[in-house]
Amino acid sequence: MKKNYSKIALIVALIIMIGLIGYLVYGYAKKLNNNTQNPVVTMEIKDYGTVKMELYPQMAPNTVTNFIKLAENGYYDGLTFHRIIEGFMMQGGQGPTTSKTIKGEFLANGIDNSISHTRGTISMARADAYDSGSTQFFIMHQDDTRLDNYYAAFGHVTKGIEVVDKICKKANPIDDNGTIKNEEQPIIEYIKVI
């Protein structure tokens, strides 16, 4: 009889120990998950609506850090989308140059970035020089994978792609570069990290 109690006590102790280990592992995994969650930003575009975007710092850490810093400092508030080409992209964020240029995080510049320029992708605009990106970004209206490996894609629209559709459809560019008249440029009311 005494041996049976010992076996039962041992089994109960093992069950408690397994449960405790499981609880600790679950808690650690949950904490790890929360710490590696991708940043999400909300952009409000006057007269058009809200666009939510998830950013991917694991692919383009400098670009994401730069974008978030500018957004948190209110840099984008009141700026516009000045280049819009339906079926391609809409570009904004041109303002006073208060941000230094950052390294272009794409394969042609020696950095592995597997984000493809598909519909809803957010990417850093730049001049001809690979490390000339600063404040301007663009959102892909439709897929154009020719940009892959040459531009620093750093996020994706998760909600509000219909806002992008509306803006691109209404755009009336005055040249082949997609330039929009000042008075017709959609205004970014704010971009906030949520």
Side-chain angles (χ1 to χ4, degrees):
M1 189 80 170
K2 202 172 191 181
K3 284 185 180 181
N4 285 341
Y5 283 126
S6 295
K7 284 181 183 178
I8 291 171
L10 183 61
I11 290 169
V12 168
L14 280 171
I15 290 170
I16 290 171
M17 191 182 303
I18 290 168
L20 183 59
I21 290 169
Y23 176 76
L24 291 173
V25 167
Y26 171 77
Y28 178 74
K30 189 173 179 185
K31 185 177 179 184
L32 188 64
N33 239 7
N34 288 341
N35 289 341
T36 58
Q37 192 171 24
N38 291 328
V40 175
V41 295
T42 296
M43 176 172 55
E44 191 66 34
I45 304 172
K46 186 177 181 181
D47 300 326
Y48 287 97
T50 305
V51 177
K52 286 191 179 181
M53 302 174 283
E54 181 179 21
L55 309 181
Y56 305 130
Q58 64 277 21
M59 288 290 128
N62 294 330
T63 307
V64 169
T65 299
N66 180 66
F67 185 79
I68 287 175
K69 184 175 135 198
L70 290 167
E72 288 179 336
N73 290 336
Y75 177 83
Y76 292 113
D77 301 358
L79 296 183
T80 63
F81 285 96
H82 61 282
R83 281 187 69 215
I84 305 169
I85 301 172
E86 186 179 9
F88 180 40
M89 61 88 221
M90 55 188 247
Q91 180 176 328
Q94 180 179 12
T97 308
T98 59
S99 178
K100 59 184 180 181
T101 58
I102 56 174
K103 182 167 180 68
E105 294 172 305
F106 45 85
L107 195 58
N109 206 22
I111 296 177
D112 187 22
N113 181 341
S114 62
I115 304 170
S116 186
H117 286 79
T118 56
R119 176 170 162 79
T121 295
I122 302 112
S123 194
M124 182 60 66
R126 63 173 177 81
D128 288 338
Y130 283 174
D131 296 334
S132 58
S134 177
T135 63
Q136 295 185 47
F137 64 97
F138 58 93
I139 302 173
M140 298 303 296
H141 181 222
Q142 299 297 341
D143 300 358
D144 195 332
T145 56
R146 293 174 299 172
L147 302 179
D148 293 358
N149 304 320
Y150 295 97
Y151 287 85
F154 65 97
H156 205 271
V157 171
T158 57
K159 193 172 185 182
I161 195 68
E162 68 279 359
V163 172
V164 175
D165 290 338
K166 212 183 321 181
I167 290 170
C168 289
K169 186 160 185 64
K170 189 175 178 185
N172 186 25
I174 57 174
D175 59 26
D176 291 341
N177 197 38
T179 305
I180 304 298
K181 290 180 187 173
N182 288 342
E183 63 274 13
E184 294 177 10
Q185 294 175 5
I187 298 168
I188 300 168
E189 292 188 314
Y190 61 79
I191 297 176
K192 289 184 180 170
V193 182
I194 53 173

